[in-house]
Amino acid sequence: MSAAASSALHRLRERAGVELVERIEHLDAVRAERRVDRALTPPDAGAHVDADVVMGGGGLSLLVAAELARLGVSVTVVERSRAGAAHREWNASDAELTPLVETGIVTREELERIVVARYRDGICAFHGGVPRHVTGVLDCAVDAGPLLARIREVASARGVRFVDGGTVDALGVGPRSVRVAWSGPAPGEAVARVFVDGRGASSPYATSDLVCPTVGGVLRGLRVGKGPRELDPQLGEILVTTEHADRGRQHVWEGFPGHPGEMTVYLFYYARTRDARGPALAELYARFFDTLGEYKEGEAELVRPTFGYIPGWSRLAAAPRAPARVALVGDAAARHSPLTFCGFGSMVRSFRETAGLIASAVAHDRAPPSSVVPELPVHAWTGALATVMASGELDGPKLNGLLDAAFGVLEEMGNEDFAALLQDRMSGTRFTEFLRLTGARHPAVYREVLAALGPVAAVRWGARLAREVLA
Ligand SMILES: Cc1cc2nc3c(=O)[nH]c(=O)nc-3n(C[C@H](O)[C@H](O)[C@H](O)COP(=O)(O)OP(=O)(O)OC[C@H]3O[C@@H](n4cnc5c(N)ncnc54)[C@H](O)[C@@H]3O)c2cc1C
């Protein structure tokens, strides 16, 4: 670990305690090792089943557990720490949050309390370019703590059983059921019809080809105002760069105001999974502290650190897959946008359909489909763009130049197209129009994309896009 990373961890330890630094070290270590589940003796066809579903991991995927229980499926959730207690800050748009009300997780009034801030405007601004404005996207800041606590409460009331402090580390898949074992203070084992893997980026099956190491958290003490380096409570900063790519790595800021006087700020970069090795989070925190002043002014105090690896799948490489009777959800499945990495938005849009597919498999005593998370066509096209950003080929000012051109085109196409791309609902026709206009504005894009993807992936991508547009 570099000296800067050790010093960042030291500063974090002083501010946020030993336990948090241990979590960072754990996440970095898990990535370095790529653990696999131990193999258990598979249950035979007539084995007694303890629960219809055992779910490993009780983070955001708890939504699937709560919905399964609503559909009458018996569920046990085994979580390494405490289910429904993870600390994150999320943002999404109003419409995306509606399923939380429709499925009885929260009432409209409770939702209003969980949304801690709403912004008038959102921007994407790239170093050397101009801010590009969009509205109605990622404009509600959600207080993840109360939301997760509420999901747990609802799930519990619907009969979900919780095993807190259990680390799922062994599986045995039989013809009609799966044996799951966990270690921890109270080790145990259960047989279920389906194992739902919600272990996030730590799942052994989280094998997607892209990853977004992300660090930051809730800050206080930033100077409030309308300047670009001030906290504007009316403005969500979706993607902001304050420097050019350095040795192929483009660091990106995201910042959105929350409770009065607070702003959630993240620093992240796109990477190919194979390149994000070593203590990436520790090193990124060092950079966060060193360069925060270039993004925002003031006497920043990090009051709630949040961090993690968000997996992404380009759709140009093999999809994360698990054995029969194991259903990947959330970050383990990585079916969210490879461009925005908005796993929260994706989960709230899709958990009903995911739970429906699993419940149907349980009801018909068969394995669930190989993917229980609905796949949106737009991801097959944006995955290539994310691969370009992760490739490291566009060094120096090249990537910022391309991003400024592309987002300038989106702004000109209008708010509906801009929002549709960021919310995973852009059509193939509009996406090709977006590419055509970007090519006209920034002709180097064809050469740059070819260099970053390589000819095989570039042709595959082009063919897929053409198929979709002609269909
Ligand atoms: C810093 C950060 C900021 C983010 N901001 C946004 C945002 O603004 N908007 C947005 O849409 N998305 C955002 N995301 C993405 C979003 O948080 C994730 O997509 C989402 O949390 C994925 O849910 P999950 O349940 O799959 O995984 P998680 O929420 O990560 O939960 C996984 C759970 O599994 C547990 N676990 C791990 N291994 C085991 C094991 N072996 N046994 C038992 N339990 C285990 C973990 O303790 C954890 O509780 C952000 C992610 C990060 C890291």
Side-chain angles (χ1 to χ4, degrees):
M1 187 183 299
S2 68
S6 311
S7 133
L9 287 187
H10 180 70
R11 284 158 80 182
L12 263 182
R13 202 173 284 124
E14 282 179 352
R15 275 164 215 225
V18 179
E19 204 183 308
L20 181 115
V21 171
E22 277 172 4
R23 269 175 55 210
I24 295 179
E25 288 172 335
H26 171 81
L27 283 180
D28 277 339
V30 165
R31 271 215 93 68
E33 277 180 37
R34 274 266 63 96
R35 294 172 189 176
V36 291
D37 290 324
R38 268 182 308 113
L40 294 173
T41 310
D44 55 36
H48 167 77
V49 171
D50 301 294
D52 294 329
V53 166
V54 169
M55 176 184 277
L60 181 60
S61 299
L62 262 192
L63 272 175
V64 176
E67 182 63 5
L68 280 169
R70 194 172 78 94
L71 297 172
V73 176
S74 62
V75 185
T76 297
V77 174
V78 184
E79 160 61 46
R80 190 174 57 204
S81 50
R82 181 181 154 79
H87 186 73
R88 294 271 164 82
E89 316 296 321
W90 287 313
N91 52 353
S93 67
D94 244 334
E96 287 170 311
L97 298 173
T98 309
L100 295 175
V101 177
E102 290 170 350
T103 57
I105 298 293
V106 286
T107 62
R108 210 13 96 191
E109 295 70 39
E110 284 164 342
L111 183 62
E112 282 313 308
R113 284 199 290 278
I114 285 168
V115 174
V116 290
R118 289 174 197 274
Y119 333 118
R120 190 181 19 79
D121 199 8
I123 55 159
C124 298
F126 303 101
H127 191 50
V130 295
R132 310 295 183 181
H133 292 262
V134 64
T135 57
V137 176
L138 298 170
D139 54 354
C140 301
V142 172
D143 204 339
L147 175 60
L148 286 171
R150 179 72 188 142
I151 301 170
R152 178 175 174 134
E153 196 185 332
V154 171
S156 205
R158 291 177 182 166
V160 173
R161 193 179 144 245
F162 288 96
V163 180
D164 290 321
T167 298
V168 173
D169 52 12
L171 290 181
V173 179
R176 293 184 58 202
S177 55
V178 53
R179 189 185 306 279
V180 184
W182 54 89
S183 55
E189 187 178 296
V191 173
R193 289 270 169 246
V194 176
F195 173 64
V196 175
D197 190 339
R199 292 178 284 177
S202 313
S203 162
Y205 303 109
T207 55
S208 61
D209 56 336
L210 301 178
V211 69
C212 212
T214 305
V215 303
V218 177
L219 298 176
R220 256 188 234 141
L222 297 174
R223 186 177 308 156
V224 178
K226 296 280 173 199
R229 288 170 59 208
E230 293 174 326
L231 188 182
D232 177 352
Q234 297 291 320
L235 186 69
E237 302 190 359
I238 299 167
L239 296 168
V240 174
T241 60
T242 53
E243 58 193 325
H244 290 315
D246 179 15
R247 279 161 290 166
R249 187 168 287 173
Q250 179 68 63
H251 290 89
V252 185
W253 295 97
E254 176 185 348
F256 46 95
H259 290 289
E262 293 186 346
M263 184 176 200
T264 299
V265 174
Y266 292 130
L267 180 65
F268 61 90
Y269 58 88
Y270 294 84
R272 288 180 294 212
T273 306
R274 64 173 191 260
D275 299 334
R277 295 282 176 235
L281 295 183
E283 285 173 5
L284 195 55
Y285 253 128
R287 191 179 190 100
F288 179 88
F289 289 125
D290 289 347
T291 59
L292 178 64
E294 292 165 27
Y295 175 52
K296 292 292 165 205
E297 291 171 340
E299 294 299 315
E301 185 198 350
L302 183 60
V303 288
R304 285 198 299 281
T306 31
F307 48 84
Y309 288 97
I310 318 178
W313 173 40
S314 70
R315 275 73 173 173
L316 297 171
R321 281 185 80 94
R325 298 211 173 250
V326 176
L328 301 181
V329 297
D331 280 2
R335 294 314 200 265
H336 51 260
S337 166
L339 195 58
T340 63
F341 283 71
C342 281
F344 173 66
S346 164
M347 176 64 82
V348 289
R349 285 195 306 261
S350 63
F351 72 93
R352 269 186 296 193
E353 195 172 334
T354 296
L357 288 168
I358 297 169
S360 165
V362 168
H364 294 97
D365 192 11
R366 59 171 190 238
S370 58
S371 173
V372 292
V373 184
E375 178 68 338
L376 302 175
V378 67
H379 297 329
W381 322 319
T382 52
L385 305 186
T387 305
V388 169
M389 295 212 271
S391 70
E393 287 288 332
L394 272 59
D395 207 9
K398 283 187 193 163
L399 187 55
N400 276 320
L402 172 59
L403 290 171
D404 184 56
F407 281 80
V409 165
L410 282 172
E411 197 180 39
E412 277 168 25
M413 286 172 77
N415 199 68
E416 171 50 26
D417 280 321
F418 200 156
L421 182 67
L422 294 178
Q423 290 175 332
D424 308 336
R425 42 183 189 83
M426 189 177 241
S427 70
T429 321
R430 297 307 290 159
F431 189 77
T432 26
E433 177 67 356
F434 160 60
L435 290 184
R436 190 186 68 73
L437 292 170
T438 304
R441 183 188 278 227
H442 187 87
V445 67
Y446 298 111
R447 192 171 18 86
E448 291 171 350
V449 168
L450 191 64
L453 294 185
V456 176
V459 168
R460 203 183 302 152
W461 179 55
R464 198 180 285 171
L465 191 52
R467 251 197 328 270
E468 182 67 31
V469 173
L470 295 174

